[in-house]
Amino acid sequence: MNVVIIAAASGIGKKIAESFISKKARVFICDNSESEIQKFQKEFPEIFIQKADVAIYEEVKTFFQALKSRLNRIDVFINCAGIAGPTGRLEDLEVAAWERCIQVNVNGSFYCLKEAIPLLKKSQSASIINLASSASFFGFPFRSPYASSKWAT
């Protein structure tokens, strides 16, 4: 089984990766943190990991090009990428902070799925898992960028 996990060098993504690794799945991951990537590689040197910021489409394409040279299909695709974004009254938020939250949480999901789908179609039983949070169901005071982005995904 080929499993691709986005943003999996630490946190929830890492725990998911560890679970699949323990089941002998072929796991492929990306993350945007060089320090977390290095830690992950020390712990799991046999797992393919590459640096990629999901908010940058060119980096997503580069990651998937590397995957295509290593596998012919994706059986499970798990998108764990997400950031909390800024907290505050909407009128006080910096535009750049709003945009970064939307770029990672919304555009990043789209970019990764756009590139993953052709490889998922080659599997006889593909699964897509997009992680969100309760913010994808409920709004939270002062968390408009995050809640908006989670509703969108």
Side-chain angles (χ1 to χ4, degrees):
M1 173 186 308
N2 294 327
V3 180
V4 175
I5 309 171
I6 305 303
S10 64
I12 294 169
K14 183 179 180 195
K15 292 297 183 189
I16 294 169
E18 289 171 349
S19 178
F20 277 104
I21 292 166
S22 74
K23 304 287 188 232
K24 306 297 184 217
R26 294 180 64 212
V27 176
F28 304 82
I29 72 172
C30 71
D31 203 283
N32 71 344
S33 170
E34 190 63 48
S35 63
E36 295 299 332
I37 288 170
Q38 290 175 11
K39 288 182 208 173
F40 188 94
Q41 281 183 319
K42 285 180 184 171
E43 193 172 347
F44 302 102
E46 72 284 4
I47 302 302
F48 176 82
I49 185 169
Q50 183 171 313
K51 188 173 191 296
D53 181 339
V54 299
I56 302 170
Y57 184 51
E58 290 304 316
E59 291 189 22
V60 171
K61 284 194 322 186
T62 299
F63 172 65
F64 278 91
Q65 287 169 351
L67 289 182
K68 289 174 188 172
S69 70
R70 289 168 173 80
L71 51 83
N72 60 350
R73 71 178 195 286
I74 297 172
D75 300 302
V76 179
F77 175 79
I78 304 170
N79 182 10
C80 296
I83 61 171
T87 300
R89 295 182 317 168
L90 198 58
E91 66 269 25
D92 296 331
L93 299 179
E94 294 293 326
V95 170
W98 170 278
E99 289 175 344
R100 178 69 180 160
C101 186
I102 298 301
Q103 287 166 345
V104 171
N105 296 354
V106 180
N107 296 351
S109 291
F110 165 69
Y111 298 156
C112 290
L113 285 167
K114 176 178 175 46
E115 294 299 316
I117 287 171
L119 290 167
L120 285 158
K121 286 182 173 181
K122 294 179 180 182
S123 174
Q124 294 192 352
S125 59
S127 295
I128 298 171
I129 302 167
N130 288 319
L131 274 73
S133 74
S134 58
S136 60
F137 302 106
F138 308 103
F140 290 96
F142 304 107
R143 301 305 316 277
S144 293
Y146 183 73
S148 298
S149 69
K150 290 303 171 178
W151 275 75
T153 57

